[in-house]
Amino acid sequence: MRKLIIQIPCLNEEETLPLTLADLPRQVDGFDIVEWLIIDDGSTDGTVRVAAENGADHIVSLSHNQGLAKAFMTGIETALKLGADVIINTDADNQYDASCIPDLVRPILEKRAQIVVGARPISEIEHFSPVKKMLQRFGSWTVKLASDTTVTDAPSGFRAIHRDAAVQLNVFNRYTYTLETIIQAGRKNIPITSVPIRVNGDLRPSRLVKSVASYVRRSLVTIVRIFIVYSPLRFFTACAAIVAIPGAVMVARFLYKYMTGHGSGNIQSLVLSSALLALAGILAMGGILAELIAVNRQLLEEIRIRQFRQELRGLPQVGIDDQPVETSGEAKKKATAPG
């Protein structure tokens, strides 16, 4: 029996969730069972009630809002414990066209990939501003550079993940999971690809993009953090080179002046170049230390993966972190109970 679980992280999605669930399939070619999993990220509206009333098979409620990345990982771990062979992640605002799900899972069923990312037609999406479109492309290019993958729409949250790949994912960023999971796939040699998908109309403003300035700032911070965490030696070496080049140029300039008899008036350049070269050496050393820390983190991740695999084999299929998985009937009773 092959099971597909479609997970939806939610935060106050009472209005849009019914439309999203209404479009989700109950049958997908290649799977015997299709179930829906809702991850309630501390919603304060009727999200849980609406999810239960509209057919969600499982609902996991976090005690408070912990961010999209945490909700995503909670869903992944819960779906694995529910016996999912493939996990689909989609958004609660019905951004992604659910009729594309068969296209999304096809590379996994054909054993061509273990992670498939839905590539949106970015240039055709009317409610994306020119700045957002540019940052979307820049983010995808950066992820390609850091991960050696060919995913064309890295920020897309519409993706299919095989069970074997899902076990290996571990997101550190609280803001978003999209870029980091692709880089992890590239680093861990998990087969990953993308397929073109369609999108629906805009139902509400993005929760992640509160303003263009905020989106630019968060995107840049995320990209820099990705390089520091996953390519520390390359990042710090590049920074060291940026600092060392002008220092070396000024040293060469001083030596030239000195050899031609005009060095006495250029001591300031020698002092500044010495400071720059010393800073470059510190950055290079920092890169070496960060690379050693990154290796240690990879070893810890391997230990976590082995422990989680053993847990999946030996434990009953229940919720995680003392947050029981509720069936839609149980959730409905809880949502409508007085008091």
Side-chain angles (χ1 to χ4, degrees), residues 233-244:
L233 186 59
R234 183 191 303 181
F235 177 81
F236 284 103
T237 300
C239 292
I242 292 173
V243 174

Side-chain angles (χ1 to χ4, degrees), residues 186-208:
R187 295 282 173 173
K188 296 176 180 179
N189 294 319
I190 299 173
I192 183 170
T193 189
S194 60
V195 297
I197 60 165
R198 296 177 296 276
V199 295
N200 298 315
D202 189 27
L203 295 180
R204 60 161 175 76
S206 173
R207 298 275 172 78
L208 292 179

Side-chain angles (χ1 to χ4, degrees), residues 39-321:
I39 306 97
D40 169 35
D41 188 20
S43 298
T44 56
D45 64 356
T47 295
V48 171
R49 173 182 54 80
V50 167
E53 292 175 350
N54 286 270
D57 299 284
H58 311 283
I59 300 173
V60 175
S61 292
L62 302 181
S63 59
H64 60 280
N65 177 239
Q66 299 183 38
L68 178 59
K70 176 64 176 179
F72 170 80
M73 285 306 304
T74 299
I76 291 294
E77 294 184 10
T78 302
L80 288 171
K81 292 182 178 182
L82 289 168
D85 295 289
V86 176
I87 304 165
I88 293 282
N89 184 83
T90 189
D91 286 355
D93 61 358
N94 204 35
Q95 173 186 175
Y96 306 107
D97 188 341
S99 66
C100 296
I101 286 178
D103 299 328
L104 202 63
V105 299
R106 187 170 295 116
I108 294 179
L109 294 176
E110 295 175 353
K111 298 183 178 180
R112 294 187 286 111
Q114 289 190 350
I115 298 179
V116 184
V117 179
R120 298 164 292 180
I122 299 295
S123 60
E124 301 175 13
I125 301 178
E126 296 181 356
H127 62 273
F128 277 17
S129 67
V131 173
K132 185 174 181 180
K133 290 179 180 179
M134 179 188 68
L135 287 173
Q136 294 276 354
R137 296 189 183 95
F138 180 66
S140 298
W141 175 81
T142 304
V143 170
K144 287 181 183 180
L145 187 64
S147 64
D148 294 326
T149 63
T150 57
V151 175
T152 56
D153 185 11
S156 171
F158 193 40
R159 50 187 66 190
I161 307 170
H162 188 274
R163 180 183 183 88
D164 292 341
V167 172
Q168 302 181 58
L169 298 181
N170 186 30
V171 178
F172 299 99
N173 194 322
R174 183 180 181 273
Y175 174 59
T176 182
Y177 60 88
T178 54
L179 308 184
E180 195 167 352
T181 49
I182 294 174
I183 292 174
Q184 286 187 7
R187 295 282 173 173
K188 296 176 180 179
N189 294 319
I190 299 173
I192 183 170
T193 189
S194 60
V195 297
I197 60 165
R198 296 177 296 276
V199 295
N200 298 315
D202 189 27
L203 295 180
R204 60 161 175 76
S206 173
R207 298 275 172 78
L208 292 179
V209 185
K210 296 181 180 179
S211 67
V212 174
S214 173
Y215 184 72
V216 170
R217 178 179 58 82
R218 286 192 170 188
S219 297
L220 293 177
V221 169
T222 299
I223 289 169
V224 171
R225 187 177 183 275
I226 282 172
F227 273 102
I228 293 175
V229 172
Y230 292 100
S231 300
L233 186 59
R234 183 191 303 181
F235 177 81
F236 284 103
T237 300
C239 292
I242 292 173
V243 174
I245 289 174
V249 169
M250 282 189 285
V251 168
R253 176 177 177 273
F254 172 79
L255 292 175
Y256 173 77
K257 293 286 186 180
Y258 182 80
M259 293 177 66
T260 56
H262 300 89
S264 59
N266 295 276
I267 300 299
Q268 297 89 341
S269 297
L270 184 61
V271 173
L272 179 58
S273 63
S274 299
L276 290 175
L277 292 174
L279 178 58
I282 293 172
L283 288 171
M285 184 60 66
I288 294 173
L289 294 175
E291 187 72 16
L292 294 175
I293 294 173
V295 171
N296 184 64
R297 188 193 70 248
Q298 291 172 5
L299 294 175
L300 292 175
E301 286 184 1
E302 288 295 326
I303 294 173
R304 172 194 169 274
I305 291 170
R306 292 177 184 177
Q307 290 177 338
F308 191 40
R309 282 174 173 165
Q310 291 177 353
E311 183 181 352
L312 291 176
R313 287 195 295 265
L315 293 180
Q317 296 175 356
V318 296
I320 62 175
D321 297 334

